[in-house]
Amino acid sequence: MQRCALVAQGLGFSIVDPIVARDFASSRIVLKPFVPRLEIATMLLLPSQRPRSRLALQFCDLLRAETADYRKSARVQA
């Protein structure tokens, strides 16, 4: 994510999706919760005229698992 790269270079700050931001957490970037807490809706856009491929279904499962893990860790930190 370009915004995280700019922050790592000391060129400012940014409000970013926490699921993506955690991959950029390092000694050069500090993650701080935003208060008040914002709910982030995650949506998948899929074509309505085609059946979902096995790969698309696996991706949906992975995304659900990642967001569930994030929600659990966010509740613990709150």
Side-chain angles (χ1 to χ4, degrees), residues 16-19 37-43 67 70-71:
V16 296
D17 178 336
I19 293 174
R37 188 167 178 248
L38 301 175
E39 288 293 323
I40 297 173
T42 304
M43 293 191 242
T67 55
Y70 172 75
R71 287 185 182 130

Side-chain angles (χ1 to χ4, degrees), residues 1 5-6 12 16-19 25 27 30-31 33-34 38-40 45 55 62 65-66 73:
M1 175 180 280
L6 291 171
V16 296
D17 178 336
I19 293 174
S27 60
V30 176
L31 301 179
F34 186 85
L38 301 175
E39 288 293 323
I40 297 173
L45 303 177
L55 182 61
L62 177 66
E66 282 292 312
S73 68

Side-chain angles (χ1 to χ4, degrees), residues 1-2 10 15-16 23 26-28 30 32 34-35 37 40 44 49 55 58-61 66 68-70 73 76:
M1 175 180 280
Q2 194 63 29
I15 298 173
V16 296
D23 291 337
S26 69
S27 60
R28 300 188 68 168
V30 176
K32 296 193 176 228
F34 186 85
V35 180
R37 188 167 178 248
I40 297 173
L44 293 170
Q49 304 301 318
L55 182 61
Q58 289 172 341
F59 178 75
C60 292
D61 291 341
E66 282 292 312
D69 287 347
Y70 172 75
S73 68
V76 169

